Amino acid sequence: MIQVRLPIQINEQSAEPLYHQIKVQLRALIVSGQLEEGTLLPSIRELAQTVKCSVITVKRVYSDLEAEGLLRTRQGTGTYVAKVGEQERDRHRLSVVIEALEQAVVAGKRVQCTEAELEELFRESLRKHYGPGGEET
């Protein structure tokens, strides 16, 4: 079994806790299919060293993602990507987007954006990332 190097990027200037940054990125790698079923993940200690955080932080991420059904741990052999069905993958995939949208709306309300302003910002973002014809760029 080949162990992968996880392309997790930590932003130390972000207000988001390290735990959340790691969990969101690892979940995205799994639900997008970039990490396939059976992929061996780095040990808790190895990932903690790679992203420069505590072992407890990574242990919590792995434990939470295991509780979500995305990872499975075999004593003595490591932590692997679990089998994720298509419906479950879609549910997780969309939940990530919903969470980000919710955070964007909260941030907009915090600075007193109107609903119309938020809708226009969302449309601009769509055009920026998908182009004027709706094609992904």
Side-chain angles (χ1 to χ4, degrees):
M1 179 73 42
I2 297 171
Q3 182 180 326
V4 297
R5 190 172 186 307
L6 299 177
I8 293 179
Q9 301 292 316
I10 298 300
N11 179 353
E12 293 175 11
Q13 277 69 51
S14 174
E16 271 188 359
L18 285 176
Y19 158 80
H20 191 259
Q21 291 183 50
I22 298 166
K23 183 177 174 181
V24 165
Q25 291 180 57
L26 184 52
R27 184 191 292 127
L29 289 167
I30 295 167
V31 301
S32 68
Q34 292 176 65
L35 292 178
E36 296 179 4
E37 175 188 355
T39 300
L40 175 63
L41 299 184
S43 72
I44 291 170
R45 187 167 273 106
E46 289 169 332
L47 184 55
Q49 287 174 341
T50 301
V51 297
K52 296 176 179 63
C53 71
S54 81
V55 169
I56 294 167
T57 299
V58 175
K59 185 171 175 37
R60 183 173 160 211
V61 168
Y62 278 16
S63 177
D64 286 0
L65 292 177
E66 189 168 9
E68 289 179 24
L70 297 176
L71 297 179
R72 57 180 159 62
T73 301
R74 280 196 230 130
Q75 198 63 37
T77 62
T79 302
Y80 299 84
V81 175
K83 179 177 174 65
V84 182
E86 203 169 317
Q87 285 182 324
E88 191 177 357
R89 186 179 305 278
D90 284 345
R91 184 176 57 80
H92 281 290
R93 190 173 55 88
L94 294 178
S95 75
V96 169
V97 176
I98 290 167
E99 182 180 334
L101 288 171
E102 294 282 339
Q103 289 177 356
V105 170
V106 168
K109 284 185 79 171
R110 194 177 304 126
V111 296
Q112 300 175 344
C113 284
T114 66
E115 190 174 328
E117 287 174 319
L118 288 175
E119 285 178 4
E120 183 53 34
L121 289 171
F122 183 68
R123 284 190 184 93
E124 284 177 27
S125 184
L126 285 173
R127 283 191 293 272
K128 177 182 171 187
H129 294 281
Y130 286 92
E135 295 295 317
E136 191 171 349
T137 58

